[in-house]
Amino acid sequence: MRRFSLWLRGRPIVADSLLAAFLMVLDALGVGNEHHKASYLLFSVLLPLPLILRRIYPRAMAAVMFVLSVLCTLVGYLVGDDTSGHVALIGLGVMLYTLVAYVGRRDGLIYLVCLGIDLGLSLLILSEPVGGDIALVGVIYALCWTLAEFNGARHAYDAEVAARLAVADYDKERRAHEAVAAERTRIARELHDVVAHAVSVIIVQADGAKYALRHDPDTAERALATIASTGREALRELRRTVALLRTEHAPELLPQHGSAGIARLAEMMRDAGLAVELELTGELDDITPEVSLGVHRIVQESLTNTLRHAGTSPKATVRVHRREDDILVEVVDSGGVPVQEADIPGTGMGLVGMRERVAVLGGTLSAGRTEDGRWRVRATLPLRAETD
């Protein structure tokens, strides 16, 4: 049964079709007590049909269900039948549950008013009002609303937990990629040092050997020996370093930077419960990968800290502005409990890592609370790094 339940959960149309078929059969069983069996059977078939698509088009199907209920009441009045005997009218409560749980309380409240109008219309055309039936309908609607509140809260909690897990996975992948990138940068620096040093020595020794070749063969021989040993050592170091760079990452697997990467990061944080206002100005997609990664990392770390430490209903404003010679990154949160009182502990290395990254890129970074109690991270990163 658990497997079947999980299978149905991933196929809402199948589950709702089974519910509609059940109500259809149950409703049709009461046709024997009706005088106009054709009209009764017609609405026995029509009333459950909107339930099939209730989770795909909740508003539209709720409207269709309401219209069918009103038509059923009017037709019953014209032919002289009591339409309250339709078991399929339970679908009205199911639609109320669907709107509250999957759309929102506002739509559910509007639909509840419509159901009250439908109930009032039924009372007007009935020869005698039935108080017990009215109370039963009220209890059913109240139960549907209460159940929807519980399930809606559970769905919202599950969605937020899933979003936070996605952010955690994304952060883990990002950190792993940055660790690889840092290692490749270190290897590149070693490669530069090895090649530059070896080539410089070889050029100097070759020039000396050229001048000493005829007048001082011993000096020329020593210079050539130095060239040979230096070349062998450089070749050995070069092979070792290049061997570490053989593994390539497919471009589609690399993390996305630039404006698209920042927008994706903001969307992920919104799914995790952080209200993010994003302002991107200037061309951010043609800057160097180092600066682009630096911008992305600062925004990511700042939003992660806001999500952890900014209290309930956190909000953050992200501004990334490309100026003539640098990029300004500013992240301001809505204020909340201090970091020392945060419920979610951090490693304490976030600001340290941002400062180190900004320092490597030759920029500046400031972080702290503003006068109104909000936390602000502000960084400037130069577009052109100094080269040797």
Side-chain angles (χ1 to χ4, degrees), residues 165-184:
L165 288 176
V167 171
D169 291 341
Y170 179 77
D171 187 66
K172 181 180 178 180
E173 292 176 4
R174 174 70 65 186
R175 292 179 185 275
H177 172 263
E178 289 180 359
V180 173
E183 181 65 14
R184 291 168 71 88

Side-chain angles (χ1 to χ4, degrees), residues 183-197 237-238 240-241 244:
E183 181 65 14
R184 291 168 71 88
T185 301
R186 185 185 67 81
I187 295 173
R189 286 198 298 267
E190 291 182 3
L191 181 63
H192 172 269
D193 293 342
V194 169
V195 174
H197 170 73
E237 291 293 324
L238 189 61
R240 180 185 65 83
T241 305
L244 298 177

Side-chain angles (χ1 to χ4, degrees), residues 24 33 45 71 74 84 86 92 125 153 213 259 265 369 384:
M24 192 180 299
N33 300 326
V45 173
L71 288 177
L74 294 177
S84 61
H86 279 284
L92 293 171
I125 66 174
L213 183 61
S259 57
L265 177 61
R369 291 201 176 273
R384 301 173 185 85

Side-chain angles (χ1 to χ4, degrees), residues 53-360:
L53 300 177
R54 67 183 181 92
R55 279 184 277 186
I56 300 178
Y57 307 105
R59 292 188 179 94
M61 293 301 103
V64 171
M65 189 75 184
F66 173 73
V67 171
L68 287 176
S69 176
V70 173
L71 288 177
C72 181
T73 301
L74 294 177
V75 170
Y77 172 73
L78 293 176
V79 301
D81 280 340
D82 182 6
T83 58
S84 61
H86 279 284
V87 179
L89 290 175
I90 294 176
L92 293 171
V94 177
M95 285 299 183
L96 177 63
Y97 162 84
T98 303
L99 287 177
V100 176
Y102 294 97
V103 180
R105 295 189 184 95
R106 180 175 176 272
D107 294 81
L109 185 60
I110 294 174
Y111 195 66
L112 187 60
V113 172
C114 294
L115 294 180
I117 295 174
D118 183 35
L119 183 60
L121 180 62
S122 300
L123 291 177
L124 286 176
I125 66 174
L126 284 175
S127 57
E128 341 182 301
V130 183
D133 291 344
I134 298 175
L136 179 61
V137 171
V139 169
I140 291 175
Y141 290 164
L143 289 176
C144 290
W145 187 291
T146 304
L147 183 61
E149 288 286 351
F150 278 108
N151 282 347
R154 182 176 61 84
H155 291 155
Y157 174 77
D158 291 343
E160 183 171 348
V161 169
R164 287 178 179 264
L165 288 176
V167 171
D169 291 341
Y170 179 77
D171 187 66
K172 181 180 178 180
E173 292 176 4
R174 174 70 65 186
R175 292 179 185 275
H177 172 263
E178 289 180 359
V180 173
E183 181 65 14
R184 291 168 71 88
T185 301
R186 185 185 67 81
I187 295 173
R189 286 198 298 267
E190 291 182 3
L191 181 63
H192 172 269
D193 293 342
V194 169
V195 174
H197 170 73
V199 171
S200 298
V201 171
I202 289 173
I203 291 174
V204 171
Q205 294 295 324
D207 287 340
K210 182 176 68 173
Y211 288 109
L213 183 61
R214 296 181 180 178
H215 307 291
D216 192 351
D218 293 336
T219 301
E221 184 179 358
R222 288 195 299 271
L224 292 174
T226 302
I227 291 173
S229 61
T230 303
R232 291 191 188 96
E233 182 64 24
L235 182 60
R236 198 161 43 243
E237 291 293 324
L238 189 61
R239 285 173 176 170
R240 180 185 65 83
T241 305
V242 171
L244 298 177
L245 298 173
R246 289 187 179 276
T247 304
E248 294 292 339
H249 295 279
E252 62 273 10
L253 298 179
L254 292 176
Q256 192 177 26
H257 302 302
S259 57
I262 297 175
R264 180 188 174 209
L265 177 61
E267 187 61 30
M268 291 185 64
M269 289 297 179
R270 291 190 190 105
D271 292 340
L274 174 63
V276 180
E277 181 180 349
L278 187 61
E279 297 179 14
L280 304 178
T281 57
E283 181 56 55
L284 301 175
D285 295 327
D286 62 347
I287 59 180
T288 60
E290 301 84 18
V291 176
S292 179
L293 178 60
V295 171
H296 190 102
R297 185 66 180 89
I298 292 171
V299 173
Q300 179 195 14
E301 188 65 36
S302 301
L303 292 181
T304 301
N305 288 339
T306 300
L307 187 64
R308 287 174 174 169
H309 306 306
T312 58
S313 301
K315 299 179 181 178
T317 300
V318 179
R319 299 183 183 92
V320 181
H321 176 46
R322 176 172 178 171
R323 300 184 289 197
E324 183 176 355
D325 297 321
D326 61 8
I327 292 181
L328 173 65
V329 182
E330 188 177 62
V331 182
V332 183
D333 67 20
S334 57
V337 296
V339 176
Q340 291 83 355
E341 301 175 12
D343 294 330
I344 306 175
T347 61
M349 298 300 294
L351 282 176
V352 175
M354 283 194 287
R355 293 187 189 279
E356 290 177 351
R357 183 179 298 278
V358 170
V360 169

Side-chain angles (χ1 to χ4, degrees), residues 3-27:
R3 289 183 180 179
F4 181 67
S5 176
L6 294 175
W7 183 82
L8 284 181
R9 186 177 300 178
R11 296 164 177 81
I13 293 183
V14 176
D16 293 334
S17 297
L18 293 175
L19 174 62
F22 174 75
L23 289 179
M24 192 180 299
V25 172
L26 198 62
D27 195 290

